[in-house]
Amino acid sequence: MERAGPGDWWRVRRLDDGVTWIDEPNLHDFYRCNVWHVRGRDGDMLVDSGMGVVSLRDWVPLVTERPLQAVASHTHFDHIGCHHEFDCRLCHGAEAEMMRNPTRVATLADPYVQDDIFIRMPPVPYASATYQVRSAPATRLLWDGDVVDLGDRHFEVVHTPGHSPGGIALWEAATGILFAGDLVYDGPLIEDAYHSNAADYQRSMERLYDLPVRVVHAGHYPSYGRERHRQIIGDWLKAKEKA
């Protein structure tokens, strides 16, 4: 399979509300994590950091311009691969051990990371058989109700277990922006990982359904608005009632 150069690995698209959408276009859609950069008055926030096969700091200058808090929505391989590149690393306390010791099994690299997840392979010397996320111990543990403070912007931590034990969403009430992680997005959801929990998943979906969102920036696939948000979760909840 053809290999991409490091300069072709990251794609950067500026959206409204001081949000920039960063992703890895050489991965197939299902495996392609959305990395979100948020500009604040006193500093910036990064939500997730991709696979870590090409440096984010070296190839996306935006993430080095100002003080930055790198938040993990959860600790699967496609979301924390570049967290070790940042000094300020935040995750929910339930997944702190996975940030410190991100084994292939714990991060789902085993079984998901195979050559066929790529459209173009990462640069040499990457090899799927030896891929592993680097340790990035959290410098701040997050709990439900905590706030990530950017000075003029405040994101409330909403603990959303279900997909994983320490999954979180980040809610900015002033703008109606929700960073939803992998609990909900506009595509096929993963509810059967080794540490997924069906009862937690339902409670978390019910909680996010009632938020007065304006736009949802999720862990995968394109962003969407309030109507689609309620449709996705509403349909999911109805399907669970019938199961």
Side-chain angles (χ1 to χ4, degrees):
M1 188 186 300
E2 178 186 358
R3 288 186 182 262
D8 298 322
W9 193 256
W10 295 102
R11 176 170 53 183
V12 178
R13 289 170 281 185
R14 293 185 184 270
L15 308 181
D16 296 331
D17 306 306
V19 175
T20 298
W21 179 13
I22 306 168
D23 68 354
E24 301 169 278
N26 297 292
L27 282 154
H28 288 290
D29 287 351
F30 181 75
Y31 303 97
R32 185 186 305 149
C33 167
N34 293 327
V35 177
W36 302 105
H37 181 276
V38 184
R39 180 59 53 91
R41 184 191 65 209
D42 298 341
D44 298 343
M45 178 174 69
L46 192 72
V47 182
D48 296 333
S49 64
M51 278 191 70
V53 295
V54 170
S55 170
L56 193 57
R57 288 184 63 91
D58 289 351
W59 293 97
V60 182
L62 175 67
V63 305
T64 65
E65 292 174 353
R66 306 169 79 239
L68 183 143
Q69 300 179 66
V71 182
S73 70
H74 62 298
T75 57
H76 291 158
F77 73 91
D78 47 333
H79 293 263
I80 60 165
C82 287
H83 263 63
H84 66 277
E85 298 186 333
F86 301 96
D87 293 333
C88 184
R89 302 179 295 269
L90 296 72
C91 76
H92 191 273
E95 296 189 19
E97 175 59 21
M98 284 182 277
M99 288 281 282
R100 188 189 68 79
N101 183 28
T103 66
R104 284 176 56 90
V105 171
T107 62
L108 296 186
D110 181 4
Y112 282 106
V113 177
Q114 307 287 338
D115 287 357
D116 61 5
I117 74 174
F118 298 103
I119 298 168
R120 291 195 296 170
M121 293 286 288
V124 173
Y126 172 85
S128 294
T130 56
Y131 166 83
Q132 186 162 334
V133 174
R134 289 178 59 177
S135 175
T139 60
R140 178 188 173 191
L141 298 182
L142 298 174
W143 305 98
D144 190 64
D146 283 352
V147 173
V148 179
D149 185 354
L150 305 184
D152 59 337
R153 307 188 68 170
H154 305 89
F155 291 86
E156 180 186 349
V157 175
V158 183
H159 184 206
T160 54
H163 175 71
S164 68
I168 62 169
L170 294 160
W171 167 239
E172 187 177 39
T175 61
I177 293 173
L178 179 70
F179 293 99
D182 272 12
L183 185 85
V184 59
Y185 46 76
D186 201 354
L189 302 177
I190 294 179
E191 305 171 45
D192 59 354
Y194 74 96
H195 53 185
S196 298
N197 181 284
D200 285 345
Y201 213 122
Q202 178 152 345
R203 283 190 290 268
S204 294
M205 288 289 249
E206 290 170 347
R207 188 174 183 190
L208 293 191
Y209 181 82
D210 290 327
L211 287 178
V213 302
R214 178 174 58 87
V215 60
V216 178
H217 301 307
H220 297 270
Y221 299 98
S223 302
Y224 50 89
R226 177 174 173 78
E227 183 177 348
R228 182 61 178 148
H229 174 72
R230 291 177 68 84
Q231 180 183 15
I232 292 169
I233 296 180
D235 289 349
W236 186 93
L237 292 170
K238 288 176 184 176
K240 297 302 176 185
E241 290 176 2
K242 294 177 181 177

